[in-house]
Amino acid sequence: MKNSFIARNPSILIFLACLAVFTLVITLMSHAYGTGGISTSFVKTLGRTLCLCLVAIAMDLVWGYCGILSLGHFAFFGLGGYMVGMWLMYARTEIIVIESLANSPIPPTAQEVQDAIGTQIFGVVGSSEFPLIWSFAHSLTLQLLLVVLIPGVLALVFGWLAFRSRVTGVYLSILTQAMTLALSLYLFQNESGLRGNNGLSGLQNLPGVTAGQDAISVWFLWASALALGLGYLLAAWVVSGKFGSVVRGIRDDEARVRFLGYSVETYKLFIFTLTAIIAAVAGALYYPQAGIINPGEIAPIASIYLAVWVAIGGRGRLYGAVIGAAVVSLVSTWFTGGMVPALNLGFYRIDWVDWWLVLLGLSFVLVTLFAPKGIGGLFDLVGARMAPNRHGADYGPGKGSLREKEGQE
């Protein structure tokens, strides 16, 4: 137990405990299971924030630990949402169609039901036929498998092509952004089979569930908290031990790690694919709480925001990514939701809804210049003050090894 990665990283237990307490408090203050002190809409906001924290962990793992600045991970996030959204739209529309045809004097055939469902879903883009990509939309199990498979395979193929060519640095970032832009432009077309610019809507309604949104919002909060806890545990395990040391070595000096005989491309490909799957799972939980997904969610700017969250929170530390995503997401909701009154300077009126992105960009610049460790770096300062005052050089390379002054004493 002493050598387990949890024992070496007590912050894991602290994070999981804080997450459990947070979830319990929100549950007890919700309308469905508590006092009603928190509105259902805010419970949904908190649930979505937990999903954003999970995708931020994925970004920190691929960028903060492995050194790959991916500007395309929000594309995987959106693909996960689309996979679940397809089933939600199909199942909900199927129930509506069957109920509407129930009083028909002649029972409808299976093909007539299928055609009616297609007309309901794709009538907005002038079609009634199911595209090939909707072949498994009738099955929740298959669509959940696609949440993992589609982003995972895309990341595997893209990563294999990029890493085997040894594309690194800004060129790799541009490639990931180009992939995201291409996918977004494709989804904007009606021929994509995902209703083009209209996207998928009404995702907040769970088919066959009679409970109201008060209860459903809490259920998704629980699911999001569970996914975040497991994702944090998985990421912490990945970056611990020898594997984690190699990954950080690739970030710091890729050429030296390759010289030592490690297959750098294999490590990169594993991290890139794993984080794409984590991002997709986060998206699959996020969009049913948001209620709608469209191609605008996969635009390259979203992935840039993701990198900003991680930088503000402090990359290279998992809890920093969580803090950055949570703080920026909640502050963004506060500013863009009209909860901050406008500031009238006499000669100019500042509407914070319009100025929020300017503030976010300014925060990123200030953090980069004056606090490169981000918000998470504050914990380092606290830890340094609480650590014993030991002087002299280390006797050994291990963390916490004796120093010269202690050895003399």
Side-chain angles (χ1 to χ4, degrees):
M1 184 65 182
K2 291 183 179 180
N3 295 324
S4 67
F5 80 99
I6 293 181
R8 296 193 303 269
N9 300 277
S11 61
I12 297 175
L13 293 179
I14 296 175
F15 174 82
L16 295 178
C18 292
L19 180 62
V21 171
F22 169 80
T23 306
L24 179 61
V25 170
I26 299 303
T27 300
L28 295 178
M29 295 183 67
S30 66
H31 279 281
Y33 300 102
T35 62
I38 295 180
S39 66
T40 299
S41 61
F42 191 60
V43 172
K44 289 185 177 182
T45 297
L46 294 176
R48 295 197 302 269
T49 300
L50 294 179
C51 295
L52 295 178
C53 291
L54 180 56
V55 70
I57 287 177
M59 183 65 183
D60 191 38
L61 192 57
V62 72
W63 180 33
Y65 284 91
C66 197
I68 303 172
L69 178 54
S70 170
L71 298 180
H73 264 57
F74 225 83
F76 304 126
F77 183 84
L79 285 176
Y82 266 110
M83 295 304 107
V84 168
M86 290 164 67
W87 174 79
L88 288 171
M89 282 209 69
Y90 184 95
R92 177 171 55 87
T93 306
E94 183 181 34
I95 293 174
I96 295 174
V97 168
I98 291 177
E99 289 178 350
S100 65
L101 297 177
N103 298 325
S104 177
I106 301 177
T109 64
Q111 185 60 46
E112 289 175 334
V113 172
Q114 186 79 354
D115 292 341
I117 296 173
T119 301
Q120 287 286 333
I121 295 178
F122 302 107
V124 69
V125 293
S127 177
S128 61
E129 296 182 358
F130 277 93
L132 183 62
I133 62 174
W134 285 74
S135 300
F136 306 111
H138 63 281
S139 172
L140 175 60
T141 302
L142 294 177
Q143 286 300 126
L144 290 179
L145 286 176
L146 291 179
V147 168
V148 175
L149 291 177
I150 297 298
V153 170
L154 177 60
L156 183 66
V157 173
F158 177 87
W160 183 78
L161 292 173
F163 300 142
R164 70 185 292 267
S165 302
R166 297 193 178 181
V167 180
T168 59
V170 66
Y171 299 104
L172 182 59
S173 300
I174 293 173
L175 278 180
T176 56
Q177 193 171 39
M179 175 197 70
T180 304
L181 180 60
L183 181 61
S184 176
L185 293 177
Y186 171 72
L187 293 177
F188 269 114
Q189 303 177 23
N190 293 337
E191 293 78 7
S192 66
L194 294 172
R195 307 197 340 154
N197 189 43
N198 297 280
L200 308 181
S201 57
L203 307 184
Q204 73 276 10
N205 302 311
L206 297 182
V209 176
T210 57
Q213 288 297 312
D214 292 343
I216 292 176
S217 64
V218 177
W219 297 350
F220 271 108
L221 177 75
W222 295 344
S224 301
L226 178 61
L228 177 58
L230 294 176
Y232 191 95
L233 196 62
L234 174 61
W237 177 75
V238 167
V239 299
S240 66
K242 179 181 177 181
F243 187 93
S245 298
V246 174
V247 169
R248 284 187 287 269
I250 294 173
R251 174 196 64 191
D252 297 334
D253 196 333
E254 180 178 327
R256 178 171 294 184
V257 174
R258 181 176 285 109
F259 177 77
L260 291 174
Y262 291 99
S263 178
V264 171
E265 289 71 29
T266 302
Y267 280 87
K268 282 185 171 183
L269 187 59
F270 174 80
I271 293 294
F272 192 79
T273 304
L274 175 64
T275 53
I277 293 174
I278 294 175
V281 172
L285 288 169
Y286 179 91
Y287 288 105
Q289 299 177 79
I292 185 172
I293 179 174
N294 59 54
E297 301 289 331
I298 304 181
I301 189 65
S303 294
I304 296 177
Y305 290 155
L306 180 57
V308 171
W309 299 344
V310 174
I312 291 177
R315 70 187 188 102
R317 41 172 57 83
L318 297 176
Y319 58 83
V322 173
I323 293 172
V327 169
V328 176
S329 174
L330 293 176
V331 172
S332 173
T333 300
W334 189 49
F335 274 98
T336 60
M339 290 179 281
V340 183
L343 182 61
N344 194 344
L345 301 177
F347 61 91
Y348 185 77
R349 175 185 171 90
I350 298 178
D351 292 317
W352 296 110
V353 175
D354 302 326
W355 278 84
W356 160 242
L357 291 181
V358 177
L359 292 178
L360 180 60
L362 181 61
S363 301
F364 175 68
V365 172
L366 293 177
V367 167
T368 302
L369 293 177
F370 302 107
K373 292 184 178 181
I375 299 175
L378 297 176
F379 291 93
D380 295 340
L381 297 177
V382 175
R385 290 183 176 275
M386 296 178 62
N389 185 17
R390 306 193 303 176
H391 304 284
D394 290 332
Y395 270 156
K399 182 179 180 181
S401 58
L402 291 176
R403 297 175 181 260
E404 289 178 353
K405 184 176 180 180
E406 292 176 313
Q408 294 171 359
E409 294 175 352

